[in-house]
Amino acid sequence: VGSEALLRWRLPGHGDIAPAQFIPLAEESRLILDIGAWVLNQVCSDYAAWQKELDDPGLVAINLSLKELSQASFIPRCRSVFERHNVSASCVELEITETTLMLDAERTLPLLDELRSMGIHLSIDDFGTGYSSLSALQQFPISTLKIDRSFVTNAATDPDDATIVRTIIEMGRSLGLQVIAEGIETEEQLEFLRLSECDEAQGFLFSRPVPAEQFRNLVTAGG
């Protein structure tokens, strides 16, 4: 039903460097602004190509840094990128971590409202690891909760993790939110989520990260 844009730094002689190693450095040095701009443009460029060959490439999720959202030029740049590639904003979901969302909630809210008015989907990533409250979930124009993989990994075997995951699913449903579980690697985890009536799941069980050109084959095979 969709995909998530993932970053890998391909350094000659070192192979692929995981984002956990270089994204924090990019955040500190503000290189994340250039990286974020490149990612949005590349995703829309890829999506435009997929649209020519696929009936429905699905929703593509992109991680969003608070530093990007804080830029005065961010929202106009988003509009410009969508228009340039002739891609609807409704094809993109921006993921914001729970912790990031709460850092400057008063300033962030109107920006998220404007993004939502453009048609962009908004989700809370790594839900359960931050400090958001129920009132915050009602306040922000969020359509999706993504349950952090740390809860999902052992949910099929650990009663405590199972309770947390089920509670988040039920809470999301009561608030009219879509709930996605991250980090699914086994059939047992997937069956637990089915029984718990989770809306969607993502993880290595379905596909490991692939280059954009291989994504077409995945969608075609899935169809």
Side-chain angles (χ1 to χ4, degrees):
V1 297
S3 56
E4 179 175 351
L6 303 173
L7 283 172
R8 298 292 184 272
W9 181 9
R10 296 195 159 169
L11 192 61
H14 294 272
D16 286 0
I17 299 176
Q21 292 181 264
F22 67 85
I23 290 297
L25 295 174
E27 289 272 7
E28 289 177 20
S29 65
R30 296 184 67 81
L31 279 172
I32 195 66
L33 300 178
D34 292 330
I35 291 173
W38 178 85
V39 168
L40 180 63
N41 185 72
Q42 187 63 48
V43 165
C44 288
S45 175
D46 290 336
Y47 203 95
W50 297 337
Q51 285 181 316
K52 296 176 182 177
E53 301 181 28
L54 303 171
D55 292 335
D56 181 13
L59 198 65
V60 180
I62 303 173
N63 291 283
L64 179 64
S65 163
L66 182 62
K67 284 187 172 65
E68 292 178 81
L69 193 57
S70 299
Q71 280 188 301
S73 61
F74 177 70
I75 291 177
R77 187 172 71 241
C78 285
R79 286 198 180 95
S80 175
V81 171
F82 293 136
E83 290 173 4
R84 182 164 65 251
H85 294 288
N86 196 28
V87 169
S88 171
S90 62
C91 298
V92 171
E93 180 173 80
L94 294 180
E95 296 186 2
I96 309 161
T97 65
E98 190 177 1
T99 304
T100 297
L101 193 66
M102 300 308 297
L103 281 177
D104 190 358
E106 188 173 332
R107 185 181 182 280
T108 302
L109 178 58
L111 296 174
L112 296 182
D113 281 335
E114 192 167 355
L115 289 170
R116 182 66 178 272
S117 69
M118 290 168 55
I120 295 175
H121 298 262
L122 299 171
S123 69
I124 300 182
D125 197 15
D126 301 337
F127 187 78
T129 61
Y131 306 98
S132 62
S133 63
L134 288 176
S135 61
L137 292 180
Q138 291 177 307
Q139 180 183 20
F140 288 106
I142 300 298
S143 58
T144 305
L145 295 182
K146 300 190 77 173
I147 307 174
D148 188 72
R149 62 179 301 142
S150 62
F151 300 117
V152 177
T153 299
N154 298 314
T157 56
D158 185 296
D160 292 337
D161 283 347
T163 298
I164 291 173
V165 171
R166 288 194 188 103
T167 300
I168 294 174
I169 293 171
E170 291 171 6
M171 180 184 66
R173 185 181 300 115
S174 69
L175 293 172
L177 302 174
Q178 187 90 345
V179 181
I180 301 176
E182 298 181 291
I184 310 308
E185 299 184 6
T186 69
E187 291 289 348
E188 290 75 18
Q189 291 170 337
L190 183 59
E191 182 60 20
F192 166 79
L193 292 168
R194 282 198 182 106
L195 293 173
S196 301
E197 299 183 358
C198 188
D199 296 306
E200 295 178 7
Q202 73 174 78
F204 288 173
L205 180 63
F206 310 107
S207 172
R208 288 186 172 271
V210 296
E213 58 270 16
Q214 290 183 25
F215 177 73
R216 289 193 302 270
N217 300 333
L218 280 176
V219 176
T220 302

